[in-house]
Amino acid sequence: MRIVILKDDLAVAEFGANYIIESINKKPNTVLGLATGSTPIRLYEKMMIANQTKRVCFKKVTTFNLDEYLGLAVGHPQSYRYFMDHRLFNHIDIDKENTFVPNGASDNPIADCTHYEEYLREKGGVDLQLLGIGSNGHIGFNEPGSSLASRTHIAVLSKETISANKRFFSVGESQPHLSITMGIGTILESREIMLIATGANKAEAIKNTIEGPVSSSCPASILQMHPYVTIVMDEEAAKSLRNIDFYKYTELESQKFMLSQYK
């Protein structure tokens, strides 16, 4: 597990965007796993700029989103399909036919969960999965107590998650309590994973993810079992880590070593 601690959320977005851009430039037909929420917004802005300035091309890229609210129409302003279209897809040269988001308006969501897994397999699986993290340690909408081997499924949102996301819905507007989400087992099949976290409200979850036991009480802690994980955070999100000085030292020494290989 690579731990990268940066000054602020802008630096996290810059690092994350560059990481994804480098992956696409190495493999133009990359399959990306994408996340929603407030944390990746700046990262997506930087990816848009990179595309518009010809630093990266998305024409051969395929994307799979982690999750979607159950019961929201595709065009609903709070649906994650709407989010991805307006925050990224509408502004880059990606083929919309290659952008997959779970269908929250499906008449048969259980069958659609199976189909989503099939689409993933048909495309060869995710090369690089971008994750955010909830303040309770959830990844995707896999809340505490979720199976660590789960596949794409219908998930009940925790009261904490519903409360955290309430700000996105208008007063009196019905807020979904269910979602379709990639399971933890599905996420772990990604060849590489990058999790980004910013803000003091994520500090406890980050501590439990990196330094706590692997447990369903903090779903993100399962990332300790994946061979290629990079966790990128700002100083606020890192402030509860017991071994923060060691992580900073390790990253610095790793960079020195990599630089030495190119001399």
Side-chain angles (χ1 to χ4, degrees):
M1 181 179 281
R2 180 185 178 189
I3 311 298
V4 181
I5 302 169
L6 303 171
K7 182 180 179 181
D8 53 27
D9 61 342
L10 187 60
V12 170
E14 187 79 39
F15 182 100
N18 287 336
Y19 199 100
I20 293 172
I21 289 164
E22 288 174 11
S23 295
I24 295 171
N25 286 338
K26 289 177 183 176
K27 185 183 179 185
N29 63 338
T30 288
V31 178
L32 283 179
L34 297 177
T36 52
S38 56
T39 305
I41 289 175
R42 279 187 162 178
L43 184 154
Y44 291 152
E45 289 173 353
K46 292 185 178 298
M47 287 172 62
M48 285 187 288
I49 294 170
N51 180 235
Q52 292 160 7
T53 56
K54 310 299 183 184
R55 285 183 56 213
V56 66
C57 175
F58 291 90
K59 289 181 180 179
K60 296 181 180 180
V61 171
T62 299
T63 67
F64 284 88
N65 264 75
L66 284 167
D67 44 30
E68 177 62 282
Y69 286 117
L70 191 61
L72 293 189
V74 170
H76 191 288
Q78 300 309 325
S79 75
Y80 286 164
R81 164 54 77 177
Y82 184 95
F83 176 101
M84 292 306 306
D85 284 346
H86 286 262
R87 294 290 185 179
L88 184 63
F89 298 149
N90 288 348
H91 310 284
I92 60 176
D93 59 355
I94 197 166
D95 182 349
K96 285 280 192 76
E97 294 296 316
N98 291 331
T99 63
F100 295 87
V101 180
N103 183 5
S106 172
D107 293 330
N108 192 346
I110 294 176
D112 275 6
C113 291
T114 300
H115 295 155
Y116 208 64
E117 292 279 333
E118 291 171 351
Y119 297 148
L120 274 165
R121 286 194 294 272
E122 287 173 7
K123 296 296 183 179
V126 172
D127 292 307
L128 173 59
Q129 176 68 58
L130 174 67
L131 296 176
I133 186 170
S135 58
N136 62 2
H138 75 242
I139 48 177
F141 273 135
N142 296 284
E143 302 281 14
S146 298
S147 166
L148 299 180
S150 59
R151 312 302 302 183
T152 301
H153 64 285
I154 296 171
V156 178
L157 306 184
S158 69
K159 290 181 178 179
E160 187 173 359
T161 298
I162 292 169
S163 177
N165 292 345
K166 187 176 182 179
R167 68 188 189 277
F168 299 118
F169 292 84
S170 302
V171 176
E173 186 177 13
S174 178
Q175 182 180 353
H177 290 197
L178 297 173
S179 71
I180 298 176
T181 185
M182 278 191 201
I184 294 173
T186 308
I187 292 169
L188 287 178
E189 288 180 354
S190 305
R191 294 176 185 86
E192 191 173 357
I193 296 172
M194 177 173 60
L195 184 148
I196 60 173
T198 59
N201 64 317
K202 301 296 177 68
E204 186 69 16
I206 284 295
K207 182 186 76 171
N208 291 334
T209 296
I210 296 171
E211 299 179 336
V214 175
S215 168
S216 63
S217 64
C218 176
S221 66
I222 192 64
L223 297 180
Q224 295 177 35
M225 306 300 293
H226 193 286
Y228 300 108
V229 173
T230 300
I231 300 184
V232 190
M233 70 204 79
D234 64 6
E235 291 178 351
E236 285 294 300
K239 68 180 184 179
S240 295
L241 292 171
R242 293 186 296 271
N243 299 311
I244 187 169
D245 291 336
F246 175 72
Y247 303 138
K248 289 181 177 179
Y249 169 77
T250 300
E251 177 63 14
L252 181 62
E253 290 300 307
S254 296
Q255 290 178 9
K256 287 180 182 178
F257 173 76
M258 293 305 295
L259 286 171
S260 72
Q261 302 307 296
Y262 293 98
K263 290 181 178 179

